[in-house]
Amino acid sequence: MDANHLPRYKRLLLVKHDELSAARDETTALVPRAGESEGDLMDCASADTEAELQVRLRQSDGRVLKAIENALARIRAGSFRVCEACQQLISQTRLEAVPWTRLCRECKEREQSAA
Ligand SMILES: [Zn+2]
């Protein structure tokens, strides 16, 4: 592996991680806690939909955050860039686009067509 690229990917990962963490904190503030506002919510259907959308966004951000944390752990462990399925090196082009990926493009495509 060309170790010279690692600090660069690590930086990409950390920047994205900060971005998502900040977004997640904002989103958390927007979502009303369940059970807090019973009773007078009769015409708050749109607010509910909005909250639901935010929760969904937050969940997918949460998955990416987790993937980023895993990628950072793999950088520390020295297994970054190695596809988890076929053990081949993931292409730099792919890592530039999705630095937290665990699969090379071929395996990702196989996974998606299997799903
Ligand atoms: Zn692979």
Side-chain angles (χ1 to χ4, degrees), residues 80-94:
F80 185 70
R81 276 202 76 187
V82 179
C83 171
E84 284 196 346
C86 68
Q87 316 297 317
Q88 301 294 308
L89 278 187
I90 299 168
S91 76
Q92 279 186 38
T93 324
R94 177 157 168 73

